[in-house]
Amino acid sequence: MVEQILKLDKEIVSEIILENRCYQRVTELCELGTRFPGTKGEKLAREYILKEIKSYGYTPKVEKFEHLGWKRGISEVKIVEPVERELLSISLAGAPSTGKDGIDGEILFLGNGTPGEFEQYKDQIKDRIVFVTSLAPLGQCTPPRQCHRRTKYGRAVEFGAKAFIFMNSQAGMLPQTGSTRQNMTGEIPAVTIPFEEGELLKNLISKGPVRVKLVVENETFTNQSGNIVAELPGKKGDEVVIIGAHYDCHDNSHGAQDNGTGVAILLELARIIKNTKIKLEKTIRFIFFGVEEMAAIGSSFYVKEHQDELDKIHLYINVDGLGSGGKIFDTQGFDDLSAYILSISKELNYQLKIPNPAFSGDALAFVFGGVPVAALKRSGSPGIFNFKGSINNEDRGWGHTSADTLDKIIPSSFYESAILAGRTLIRAANHNGPIAKYRCKKEVANILKHYGMDEVLYYMKWPTIPIESKY
Ligand SMILES: [Zn+2]
């Protein structure tokens, strides 16, 4: 069996590099238009994936679900005091409208919106417009989700703010979007502004009170979406390893890295592994999730609908936002899985780091389900810097902005991600027995509490879709 793994290794490495089809896949996905939930591009992306995966000999199915869709309208943000000036802005996804007359109020700047900053000023938040940056400063946010956009938004709502302004912490005149809530409309209007507009606001605030007026219009509707599932049966059919990537992206973005890269990696691994005709121990399930960018809705529905078989899923590998930077495997607080991943890293002769768990996106849906999760991620922001900062891990780089385009993908880094995902996947699929312990409800709760996620989830009001471990 070791020979078969080595044969698969060679196939994966040579096909990924020599064929260079991953990059071509991302190019084609970016040409479909935005893949934001509810758009034509979202449907085209599903059709594209189905056509591709069928051509490799799979019989995929679409597991449909309905969710609350959201469509962007106008966003006008104007400083009205001490000067008059309009700011470049867009709405955060899922945020409500202000009504025609808008909302007018005094801004309260809460820095990076860390738990400490909210705590310090919580008595002043009521009826103010809370303004924070997108930064998650290292050391002040444990877990990093304490400084996630949705946690900051949730804290602003909890303490009575009437609107929320989110500023990109990285330069480049680009607003950074993202969702406000999961499958529900946000309670207060929320807009996002570029770094430079935020700096202007901060300067004015340092001199005295600043009032702004927001006029925002958005729409909600019911969207039909779906997860695409394709299976490669193993010798032990009911033992499963899943590799998943979301195919949607934000409406302001081409979604090249986030997550054209993940979709391309799954497609290529599905093609290459099947072509070898090697049968591994466990079944490999390739899942292309819908609606991740509205707070992991597709994966949450998947975990909810498959609750009876969650203990048969021996590993979930999440592939999201790759194509540049270093590589890390986030094992989401499953310590026994970290040991396994590090042993693979040694076998691959690849220096792999396990970061502090971030509990993000589709990975978190599986954590709730008790399933061991390894999320392959990028470390370090790709090629973006501030005049006031440096390349770091504290913000999302070009992600969620209109600059998440093909040109940001670094081919060598993209190959590396695909190869690492593939070589880990085949080893996990060929592992005899469980890879890490399946967690019951109490153990999942303990992991989340241990990392301070119970508080984060409270402010995020997450999950809105009820998902939990089988036992
Ligand atoms: Zn993503």
Side-chain angles (χ1 to χ4, degrees), residues 246 258-259 292-293 320:
H246 72 86
D258 186 7
N259 187 25
E292 191 272 347
E293 297 296 8
D320 191 358

Side-chain angles (χ1 to χ4, degrees), residues 237-463:
D238 64 340
E239 292 186 9
V240 180
V241 170
I242 298 179
I243 183 164
H246 72 86
Y247 62 84
D248 64 315
C249 69
H250 275 291
D251 59 343
N252 60 334
S253 167
H254 294 194
Q257 296 214 43
D258 186 7
N259 187 25
T261 54
V263 173
I265 289 172
L266 255 66
L267 285 173
E268 272 304 84
L269 293 178
R271 184 182 70 82
I272 296 164
I273 299 172
K274 188 163 176 97
N275 268 347
T276 65
K277 298 194 168 58
I278 293 173
K279 198 158 192 170
L280 298 170
E281 292 293 312
K282 300 182 207 293
T283 292
I284 300 177
R285 202 174 282 165
F286 298 90
I287 310 186
F288 303 84
F289 288 111
V291 203
E292 191 272 347
E293 297 296 8
M294 299 290 279
I297 287 178
S299 52
S300 298
F301 275 114
Y302 184 86
V303 171
K304 182 172 169 270
E305 295 300 320
H306 291 262
Q307 213 208 359
D308 284 349
E309 56 152 339
L310 293 177
D311 54 348
K312 301 283 191 323
I313 303 170
H314 287 191
L315 181 64
Y316 172 65
I317 300 175
N318 193 61
V319 189
D320 191 358
L322 299 158
S324 63
K327 307 289 166 256
I328 47 176
F329 252 126
D330 184 343
T331 51
Q332 312 283 320
F334 285 65
D335 294 336
D336 49 345
L337 181 61
S338 301
Y340 176 77
I341 293 289
L342 288 173
S343 75
I344 287 190
S345 155
K346 212 168 166 190
E347 192 181 325
L348 302 186
N349 199 13
Y350 185 95
Q351 283 270 334
L352 197 59
K353 286 202 179 93
I354 311 265
N356 278 329
F359 302 106
S360 49
D362 294 327
L364 183 54
F366 283 85
V367 173
F368 286 132
V371 176
V373 176
L376 182 59
K377 295 177 175 174
R378 178 189 75 216
S379 68
S381 293
I384 185 168
F385 61 94
N386 272 345
F387 300 102
K388 292 189 173 180
S390 59
I391 296 172
N392 60 40
N393 241 345
E394 300 172 314
D395 210 330
R396 58 173 77 237
W398 303 115
H400 293 198
T401 76
S402 49
D404 178 7
T405 46
L406 274 174
D407 52 290
K408 311 303 184 308
I409 294 176
I410 298 160
S412 58
S413 177
F414 192 13
Y415 297 153
E416 195 184 344
S417 308
I419 290 167
L420 195 53
R423 296 182 75 197
T424 305
L425 172 68
I426 55 169
R427 280 165 175 78
N430 210 42
H431 187 82
N432 233 320
I435 291 165
K437 197 170 161 285
Y438 177 74
R439 260 63 170 188
C440 68
K441 285 170 199 163
K442 201 174 159 203
E443 289 167 318
V444 171
N446 284 344
I447 290 175
L448 294 171
K449 194 168 171 23
H450 176 77
Y451 287 101
M453 276 300 286
D454 48 343
E455 191 182 74
V456 169
L457 295 170
Y458 168 81
Y459 287 114
M460 282 193 180
K461 294 194 177 160
W462 206 14

Side-chain angles (χ1 to χ4, degrees), residues 200-274:
L200 177 81
L201 268 183
K202 279 162 62 179
N203 284 340
L204 288 171
I205 290 165
S206 70
K207 291 170 191 154
V210 175
R211 292 186 76 83
V212 290
K213 185 173 178 188
L214 272 61
V215 181
V216 177
E217 275 174 30
N218 299 309
E219 280 172 49
T220 56
F221 60 97
T222 302
N223 185 43
Q224 324 271 342
S225 188
N227 301 319
I228 301 167
V229 183
E231 230 174 56
L232 191 60
K235 289 179 197 158
K236 293 174 187 146
D238 64 340
E239 292 186 9
V240 180
V241 170
I242 298 179
I243 183 164
H246 72 86
Y247 62 84
D248 64 315
C249 69
H250 275 291
D251 59 343
N252 60 334
S253 167
H254 294 194
Q257 296 214 43
D258 186 7
N259 187 25
T261 54
V263 173
I265 289 172
L266 255 66
L267 285 173
E268 272 304 84
L269 293 178
R271 184 182 70 82
I272 296 164
I273 299 172
K274 188 163 176 97

